[in-house]
């Protein structure tokens, strides 16, 4: 095989893997929206669909892992090609985790429908999930277009998601103190808010991979980290 | 270079990376115990040490990532050697996340010392953290000794950690309902319990990597998954 031929085979293999990443991204976006929708409309059937759909996302990750391993073994990529393969592995790992969070949110819908609703908080949760879904769409676009600026913008927007989470955390504390009967529901809603905020962190992880892929540099770790959020709310 | 020579160089490089994994494992074990200890004894100084120490764990992960990428690029390992390199990457990722959870727990110690203590719950949390630390020690031993049986045992023990978490979740709900003034502290303690339970999941992830490394097979996904715990508590 000539070098040119090897390069072509590598590109074709990689294209196949990238197509799977995009498919996985589409499923994960749908899972985020489905989970938020099922919660807002107390739709147990939709929640069950999201829950069951996570297996397809997991399967894609396993497949991508196998295919990248095969690519590494057979094509021994170096430099930029190797960096790309490693990036793909990390992105599929992040997508799998976001899918898991969506599934976990959907699981709680069933429990929450058996409890009295808590003051419009599901609408805020849905807005937050919608924002994370848009960030994910942009992070994947940034990946396809090798657009480091768009990726930076996604990372920036994660601050807003953290702020939404902080506001919700404060709200839940207030609800629980005002009405102890709402404690169980609020604990579940808080889990959902936290899971959504963690999804945003994983979207940020994807955006950071894009920046690394394009610039070769790791972004600064200066932004407020995930779990600081509710700590600072109560310290302040 | 002869093939034998290449193999020797690969082994030497890999040994260096494995030494870093062990160092990272040691730091993470210490972080788990330190976080639990600082919480139980309301020791803000120790908590601060755990918090600051996470940077060294993160640095090791970056280093391991760079070294495995270099190994892939220069030595182009295949078959078992490739599987080993991929395993090392996943294990260091798991260790980094466990370190993050320990840091997050330590962060809450400062907040909790400003709130009235909640009925002996920090002792239960410490027991839970101690169990996770022992599981991690065994998972890393299983990795070094290529001991799939020990790895399976670690995965089995994660069920106990899930049960400890379930018991704590129920306890916190009761405390909050009985005394709404404890709500803020209980929310933080619940976070800590959840973070510890997630640590157990990542230790399980390491053990699963060991099984894959030794047997070439992925363990069944039959065990109770992380976030089902408190859902089933309230469904049951």
């Amino acid at each position: 095989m000539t070098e040119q031929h090897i390069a072509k085979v590598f590109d074709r293999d990689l294209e196949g893997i990238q197509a799977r990443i995009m498919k996985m991204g589409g499923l994960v976006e749908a899972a985020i929206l489905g989970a938020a929708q099922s919660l807002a409309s107390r739709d147990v059937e939709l929640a069950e669909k999201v829950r069951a759909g996570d297996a397809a996302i997991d399967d894609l990750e396993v497949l991508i892992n196998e295919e990248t391993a095969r690519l590494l073994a057979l094509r021994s990529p170096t430099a930029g090609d190797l960096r790309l393969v490693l990036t793909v592995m990390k992105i599929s790992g992040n997508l799998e985790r976001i899918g898991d969070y969506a599934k976990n949110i959907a699981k709680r819908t069933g429990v929450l429908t058996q409890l009295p609703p808590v003051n419009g908080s599901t609408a805020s949760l849905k807005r937050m999930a919608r924002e994370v879904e848009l960030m994910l769409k942009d992070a994947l676009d940034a990946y396809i277009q090798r657009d480091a600026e768009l990726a930076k913008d996604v990372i920036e927007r994660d601050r807003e998601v953290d702020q939404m989470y902080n506001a919700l955390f404060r709200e839940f504390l207030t609800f629980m103190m005002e009405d102890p009967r709402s404690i169980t529901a609020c604990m579940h809603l808080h889990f959902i808010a936290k899971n959504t905020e963690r999804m945003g962190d994983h979207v940020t992880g994807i955006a950071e991979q894009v920046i690394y892929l394009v610039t070769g540099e790791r972004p600064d770790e200066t932004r407020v980290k995930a779990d600081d959020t509710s700590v600072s709310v109560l310290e302040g």
Side-chain angles (χ1 to χ4, degrees), chain A:
Chain A
M1 281 199 292
T2 63
E3 263 188 40
Q4 206 184 1
H5 179 72
I6 292 173
K8 261 194 201 153
V9 173
F10 176 81
D11 285 348
R12 207 181 48 214
D13 287 353
L14 194 66
E15 253 173 48
I17 296 174
Q18 295 204 111
R20 286 196 209 283
I21 286 273
M22 287 303 119
K23 188 176 168 190
M24 202 177 166
L27 291 179
V28 172
E29 280 180 39
I32 299 172
L33 292 181
Q37 180 58 40
S38 72
L39 179 71
S41 53
R42 296 167 90 83
D43 183 342
V44 179
E45 209 173 304
L46 177 58
E48 188 44 49
K49 229 177 107 184
V50 172
R51 216 171 145 152
D54 193 51
I57 295 170
D58 290 350
D59 288 348
L60 275 169
E61 195 213 3
V62 171
L63 213 59
I64 290 168
N65 266 334
E66 285 171 1
E67 286 177 351
T68 46
R70 199 179 310 133
L71 201 61
L72 289 172
L74 296 181
R75 314 276 169 238
S76 303
T78 57
D81 285 344
L82 177 60
R83 202 199 287 166
L84 184 52
V85 174
L86 295 175
T87 303
V88 163
M89 289 170 67
K90 299 243 177 201
I91 291 178
S92 80
N94 278 310
L95 286 174
E96 190 273 333
R97 295 189 64 82
I98 299 170
D100 255 7
Y101 285 119
K103 181 183 70 176
N104 287 339
I105 291 173
K107 275 179 191 164
R108 286 177 198 276
T109 294
V111 186
L112 280 163
T113 51
Q114 290 162 41
L115 298 165
V118 177
N119 272 3
S121 51
T122 57
S124 311
L125 284 169
K126 197 178 162 189
R127 263 198 309 280
M128 196 174 159
R130 176 77 188 147
E131 176 58 25
V132 169
E133 187 263 339
L134 288 174
M135 282 167 57
L136 176 57
K137 197 189 280 296
D138 284 347
L140 293 173
D141 277 354
Y143 168 68
I144 288 297
Q145 293 157 20
R146 306 286 187 267
D147 184 342
E149 285 310 309
L150 182 56
K152 277 181 199 159
D153 180 55
V154 168
I155 294 173
E156 199 53 45
R157 275 149 63 196
D158 193 41
R159 285 177 197 269
E160 285 164 43
V161 173
D162 288 349
Q163 279 165 12
M164 286 178 182
Y165 167 75
N166 277 344
L168 275 167
F169 181 76
R170 239 173 299 188
E171 225 175 274
F172 293 138
L173 275 184
T174 312
F175 288 152
M176 288 193 280
M177 287 183 202
E178 280 173 358
D179 180 8
R181 285 167 305 173
S182 75
I183 285 177
T184 304
C186 281
M187 288 288 276
H188 284 289
L189 290 167
H190 174 240
F191 254 125
I192 290 172
K194 188 70 194 169
N195 281 348
T196 310
E197 188 262 337
R198 296 293 293 160
M199 281 182 184
D201 291 340
H202 284 282
V203 174
T204 294
I206 294 174
E208 285 174 350
Q209 288 298 321
V210 173
I211 293 171
Y212 172 64
L213 181 65
V214 178
T215 68
E217 277 166 36
R218 304 238 168 244
D220 291 349
E221 290 250 335
T222 46
R223 70 178 208 98
V224 180
K225 265 298 195 83
D227 209 47
D228 281 0
T229 44
S230 62
V231 174
S232 49
V233 166
L234 290 166
E235 278 172 339

